């Protein structure tokens, strides 16, 4: 039993030593090649990342593209099949479109709702409220809870005899319907996930936006008041433009995060036919089937393209709404 | 906003002052009401988790629900701990988290120092490359990484979850630390270099102590990320005795608690898993907030 830990400790020590030694060696070699002292040290210092980039990002990135053109499983070597995986995905896989649709719809609701909710809360907290530290702690709490615990908790809250149904019981009685079990009722899976997702990220976004609000110089508001601008006008013409870089950051991170929903799905037990996220589907294909690793790699590439398209869309639109105030200190 | 409110009466015509004062108070009250409503939305699920974890099995589905179980069954925690080898799971979690965290902090800070302080060709291009890897979906590279660890014979060991941390896992940590390094005046280092200190001494003895708040910020974020990491253990570990807590929790939900969910045990396990993180949050809250804010405001 102790052997497991020792094995990893040895691996860990070897990798650590190798990194440090290679940094020293790189520095020496670059100096010997005539690179100036500062540049040689600089390259040596960023070497851990450079190696990591090659080994853990670029290499696997290229390899996964190759795998996506093959039939490949844990027990056999890859067999080249050209674009068959992609053709199969778009034409023959009955699960592909529902999975994309579900992931897309989840993001479509989750990202804007999370952003607007956080903006609203941050605005409230910026109204010079008493006990700001307390409120900030409270709102950030859900973001500290492990995603697994959050998912289990909400699964229980949404269960047939869970708390949500108890709270909603008057409404059910009024409409004369039976209390549903949210995560087993196909139509309620998406709203269930959206509510759960909002509860989880809400706090972190609120804190980021609040810090952005606190960074807006006071004198801008004072000038606007002298010009006779009302509360709403001040919010629209000063607060929002000045906050737009933070909003942009939260939006990008939100899109990337919600397209990659994964952990929660393993703690919410629901019918797998409806409501599978793309990442979960990729995992199931790669590790749940015998020869699915090539197909899973192809799915991964499609997921990457989708995420890139959306982030690119936001980036392209940013000059129209994100306002950078030159090189402001801080 | 304080100064803004004080300026207002002087500008607005006297007749409006009375009405706007009343409006001001109403607005304040509304603000607090909404804040309290929001806090309830946060707190009620938490309270429900703890409440459930102290219930007896037969009182789980009582109607109306019982908020304070009588008597509270503290033994749920002991029983939940014993259903599966949770003691072992805890050791595994601590082992993985500690190793990954130490390597992550060390390499992220050294790389950030390099990017912040040394000029070399292609520096900005490389830094943009570093930032752009944040957007690469992890699932895309997971299959080649799995194959790589398999070729190295390290499937079902802790190595894939820890050794990789030497190669800078978190580009966001590098970004955060670089921001901090850049705020430190160059004169401090120059003095040390004149005194004959080498690069490593400057980094270790002078720069690191100066960015301690940022180091603590990435330490808590890294602890949280490794403690809660689910995807890695799920893919690389197969043997029950090697599971970290999160995988144990999932295993319990999928097996012993599948048909008739034992919510009292699952909530007790969730609480135990979340407890260290929550405790850390209450102690080092400042650093959590510092860590997440830098990206959003300074980026």
């Amino acid at each position: 039993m102790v052997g497991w830990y020792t094995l990893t400790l040895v691996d860990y020590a070897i990798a650590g030593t190798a990194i440090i030694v290679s940094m020293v060696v790189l520095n020496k070699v670059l100096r010997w090649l005539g690179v100036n002292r500062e540049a040689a040290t600089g390259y040596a210092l960023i070497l851990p990342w450079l190696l990591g980039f090659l080994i853990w990002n670029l290499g696997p990135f290229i390899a996964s593209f190759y795998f996506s053109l093959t039939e490949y499983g844990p027990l056999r070597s890859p067999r080249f099949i050209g674009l068959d995986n992609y053709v199969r995905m778009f034409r023959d896989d009955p699960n592909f479109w529902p999975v994309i649709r579900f992931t897309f719809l989840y993001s479509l609701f989750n990202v804007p709702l999370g952003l607007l909710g956080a903006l609203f809360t941050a605005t409230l907290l910026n109204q010079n409220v008493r006990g700001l530290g307390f409120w900030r702690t409270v709102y950030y709490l859900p973001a500290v809870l492990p995603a697994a615990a959050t998912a289990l908790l909400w699964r229980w809250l949404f269960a047939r005899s869970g708390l949500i149904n108890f709270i909603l019981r008057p409404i059910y009685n009024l409409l004369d319907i039976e209390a549903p079990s949210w995560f087993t009722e196909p139509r309620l899976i998406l709203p269930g996930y959206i509510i759960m997702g909002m509860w989880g990220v809400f706090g972190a976004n609120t804190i980021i936006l609040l810090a952005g609000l606190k960074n807006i110089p006071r004198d801008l508001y004072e000038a606007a008041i002298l010009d006779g601008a009302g509360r709403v006008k001040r919010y629209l013409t000063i607060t929002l433009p000045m906050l737009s870089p933070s909003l942009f950051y939260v939006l990008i991170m939100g899109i990337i995060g919600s397209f990659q929903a994964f952990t929660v799905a393993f703690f919410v037990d629901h019918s797998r036919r409806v409501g599978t996220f793309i990442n979960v589907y990729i995992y199931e294909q790669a590790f749940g089937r015998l020869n699915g690793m090539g197909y899973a790699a192809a799915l991964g590439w499609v997921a990457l393209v989708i995420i890139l398209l959306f982030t690119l869309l936001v980036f392209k639109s940013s000059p129209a709404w994100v306002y950078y105030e030159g090189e402001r200190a801080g | 906003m304080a100064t803004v409110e004080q300026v207002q009466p002087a500008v607005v015509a006297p007749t409006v002052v009375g009405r706007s004062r009343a409006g001001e108070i109403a607005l304040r009250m509304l603000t607090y009401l909404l804040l309290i409503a929001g806090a309830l939305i946060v707190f009620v699920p938490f309270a429900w988790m703890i409440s459930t974890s102290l219930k007896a099995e037969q009182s789980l589905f009582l109607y109306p629900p019982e908020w304070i179980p009588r008597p509270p069954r503290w033994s749920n925690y002991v029983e939940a701990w014993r259903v599966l080898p949770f003691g072992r799971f805890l050791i595994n979690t601590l082992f993985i988290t500690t190793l990954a965290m130490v390597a992550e902090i060390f390499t992220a800070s050294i790389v950030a120092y390099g990017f912040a302080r040394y000029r070399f060709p292609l520096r900005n291009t490389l830094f943009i490359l570093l930032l752009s890897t944040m957007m690469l979906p992890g699932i895309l590279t997971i299959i080649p990484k799995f194959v790589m660890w398999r070729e190295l014979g390290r499937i079902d060991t802790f190595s894939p979850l820890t050794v990789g941390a030497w190669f800078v896992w978190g580009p966001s940590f590098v970004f955060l630390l670089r921001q901090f390094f850049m705020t430190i005046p160059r004169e401090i280092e120059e003095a040390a270099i004149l005194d004959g200190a080498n690069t490593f001494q400057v980094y270790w003895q002078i720069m690191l102590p100066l960015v301690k708040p940022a180091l603590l910020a990435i330490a808590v974020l890294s602890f949280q990320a490794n403690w809660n990491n689910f995807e890695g253990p799920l893919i690389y570990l197969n043997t029950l005795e090697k599971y970290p807590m999160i995988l144990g929790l999932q295993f319990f939900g999928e097996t012993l608690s599948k048909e008739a969910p034992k919510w009292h045990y699952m909530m007790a396990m969730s609480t135990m898993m979340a407890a260290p993180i929550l405790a850390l949050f209450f102690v080092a809250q400042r650093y959590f907030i510092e860590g997440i804010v830098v990206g959003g405001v300074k980026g």
Side-chain angles (χ1 to χ4, degrees):
Chain A
M1 210 179 260
V2 181
W4 311 332
Y5 302 106
T6 321
L7 174 80
T8 292
L9 278 175
V10 171
D11 284 353
Y12 183 82
I14 292 173
T17 317
I19 279 280
I20 292 167
V21 169
S22 53
M23 285 167 76
V24 174
V25 169
L26 180 71
N27 188 30
K28 289 258 151 60
V29 169
L30 286 177
R31 292 285 292 140
W32 182 73
L33 287 173
V35 178
N36 72 54
R37 179 184 287 275
E38 184 174 0
T41 316
Y43 284 123
L45 288 173
I46 67 160
L47 185 68
W49 169 73
L50 214 54
L51 285 177
F53 176 74
L54 297 176
I55 303 172
W56 306 112
N57 286 308
L58 193 63
F61 190 70
I62 295 165
S64 86
F65 184 68
Y66 169 67
F67 288 160
S68 80
L69 304 173
T70 65
E71 190 187 53
Y72 186 23
L75 300 175
R76 62 189 294 177
S77 46
R79 186 171 66 88
F80 190 79
I81 54 167
L83 292 172
D84 280 9
N85 283 327
Y86 293 93
V87 173
R88 180 177 138 209
M89 191 188 311
F90 291 107
R91 218 184 46 194
D92 306 327
D93 186 348
N95 297 320
F96 176 69
W97 290 110
V99 163
I100 295 287
R101 187 172 160 271
F102 184 79
T103 312
F104 176 74
L105 282 177
Y106 172 73
S107 306
L108 189 69
F109 285 100
N110 196 42
V111 175
L113 285 176
L115 188 68
L116 290 176
L119 178 62
F120 183 71
T121 317
T123 306
L124 283 182
L125 287 175
N126 198 35
Q127 299 306 307
N128 206 21
V129 293
R130 280 172 193 279
L132 181 63
F134 166 77
W135 295 111
R136 210 164 54 169
T137 309
V138 169
Y139 284 114
Y140 191 63
L141 264 183
V144 186
L145 200 66
T150 308
L152 266 185
L153 172 59
W154 279 89
R155 179 179 152 206
W156 168 219
L157 288 166
F158 277 135
R160 194 180 295 281
S161 42
L163 189 65
I164 303 270
N165 279 345
F166 168 71
I167 294 169
L168 294 178
R169 188 166 295 217
I171 298 173
Y172 297 145
N173 288 343
L174 202 68
L175 299 172
D176 200 26
I177 48 173
E178 210 185 316
S181 161
W182 286 60
F183 283 116
T184 47
E185 170 70 40
R187 276 174 310 162
L188 292 177
I189 292 177
L190 183 64
Y193 269 123
I194 291 169
I195 293 168
M196 186 169 95
M198 275 190 68
W199 191 77
V201 297
F202 191 62
N205 288 349
T206 305
I207 304 297
I208 293 172
L209 293 181
L210 179 62
L213 285 173
K214 296 260 176 233
N215 249 18
I216 301 175
R218 289 269 162 80
D219 45 343
L220 287 179
Y221 289 109
E222 281 159 23
I225 288 170
L226 288 176
D227 286 347
R231 207 179 266 277
V232 177
K233 191 167 181 209
R234 268 180 275 152
Y235 194 76
L236 293 177
T237 57
I238 299 173
T239 311
L240 286 184
M242 293 299 289
L243 191 64
S244 56
S246 300
L247 287 169
F248 177 69
Y249 174 83
V250 171
L251 184 64
I252 292 277
M253 289 301 162
I255 291 174
I256 295 171
S258 77
F259 270 105
Q260 298 191 60
F262 184 80
T263 303
V264 286
F266 284 82
F267 292 86
V268 173
D269 184 44
H270 59 72
S271 73
R272 288 267 178 254
R273 280 170 47 78
V274 193
T276 305
F277 292 110
I278 177 81
N279 274 12
V280 177
Y281 189 57
I282 294 173
Y283 168 81
E284 282 172 358
Q285 294 296 316
F287 301 103
R289 290 178 54 242
L290 210 51
N291 285 319
M293 275 162 62
Y295 187 54
L299 284 167
W301 271 87
V302 171
L304 172 70
V305 169
I306 294 174
I307 294 178
L308 278 184
L309 273 180
F310 278 96
T311 41
L312 213 66
L313 209 67
V314 175
F315 264 104
K316 285 278 172 204
S317 76
S318 71
W321 63 275
V322 180
Y323 173 76
Y324 287 105
E325 200 202 354
E327 288 288 318
R328 211 153 44 85
Chain B
M1 284 303 264
T3 48
V4 175
E5 310 305 349
Q6 282 152 15
V7 184
Q8 211 156 20
V11 186
V12 183
T15 43
V16 204
V17 170
R19 209 185 67 194
S20 102
R21 174 89 32 95
E24 205 64 42
I25 292 170
L27 214 59
R28 295 246 90 185
M29 282 177 64
L30 185 67
T31 305
Y32 282 106
L33 275 178
L34 288 169
L35 283 176
I36 292 168
L40 279 179
I41 294 176
V42 170
F43 261 130
V44 167
F46 264 103
W48 189 240
M49 177 167 99
I50 308 230
S51 161
T52 306
S53 75
L54 296 173
K55 282 179 185 174
E57 191 160 8
Q58 64 273 14
S59 55
L60 282 177
F61 305 108
L62 278 186
Y63 182 85
E66 195 183 32
W67 276 99
I68 299 166
R70 268 172 309 201
R73 277 199 76 206
W74 298 102
S75 57
N76 279 348
Y77 282 83
V78 182
E79 285 159 26
W81 193 262
R82 285 190 190 142
V83 191
L84 289 171
F86 262 95
R88 173 62 49 190
F89 296 166
L90 177 65
I91 294 173
N92 296 339
T93 312
L94 284 172
F95 182 76
I96 296 168
T97 304
T98 312
L99 290 190
M101 202 172 100
V102 169
E104 222 169 13
I105 297 172
F106 178 70
T107 50
S109 63
I110 227 165
V111 170
Y113 180 54
F115 274 118
R117 273 300 196 261
Y118 289 85
R119 267 169 312 205
F120 45 87
L122 292 178
R123 181 176 69 167
N124 290 339
T125 315
L126 288 172
F127 192 67
I128 289 167
L129 202 60
L130 177 137
L131 291 182
S132 65
T133 57
M134 275 199 262
M135 291 185 195
L136 197 68
I139 199 90
L140 186 68
T141 51
I142 205 93
I143 295 167
K145 282 182 199 162
F146 177 84
V147 172
M148 203 148 67
W149 285 114
R150 198 188 53 193
E151 294 305 312
L152 293 169
R154 291 295 184 269
I155 296 303
D156 204 24
T157 72
F158 301 119
S159 298
L161 306 171
T162 51
V163 173
W166 282 113
F167 300 87
V168 187
W169 258 343
S172 57
F173 295 160
V174 176
F175 177 69
L176 193 147
L177 282 165
R178 177 178 162 269
Q179 300 293 94
F180 273 82
F181 278 128
M182 293 202 327
T183 61
I184 296 168
R186 268 178 189 277
E187 289 78 33
I188 297 179
E189 283 160 280
E190 278 157 10
I193 293 168
L194 283 180
D195 288 346
N198 65 31
T199 307
F200 186 77
Q201 283 168 331
V202 173
Y203 155 79
W204 189 258
Q205 289 169 2
I206 295 170
M207 295 305 270
L208 277 193
L210 286 173
V211 293
K212 213 163 131 204
L215 283 181
L216 287 169
I218 68 162
V220 290
L221 292 179
S222 161
F223 179 83
Q224 189 188 15
N226 285 302
W227 186 274
N228 295 346
N229 179 14
F230 174 70
E231 208 168 310
L234 178 73
I235 287 164
Y236 293 115
L237 300 177
N238 313 318
T239 315
L240 185 72
E241 284 77 20
K242 293 178 192 167
Y243 282 4
M245 288 175 84
I246 192 164
L247 221 50
L249 185 61
Q250 195 247 353
F251 179 78
F252 181 69
E254 292 284 293
T255 54
L256 302 169
S257 183
K258 176 89 173 165
E259 296 308 325
K262 298 184 182 353
W263 291 112
H264 49 314
Y265 286 163
M266 287 208 273
M267 290 300 115
M269 289 173 191
S270 299
T271 310
M272 286 190 284
M273 207 195 115
I277 302 272
L278 290 176
L280 185 69
F281 174 61
F282 283 113
V283 177
Q285 205 198 118
R286 217 188 109 201
Y287 302 112
F288 272 88
I289 287 173
E290 191 129 34
I292 60 159
V293 160
V294 169
V297 178
K298 295 190 174 170

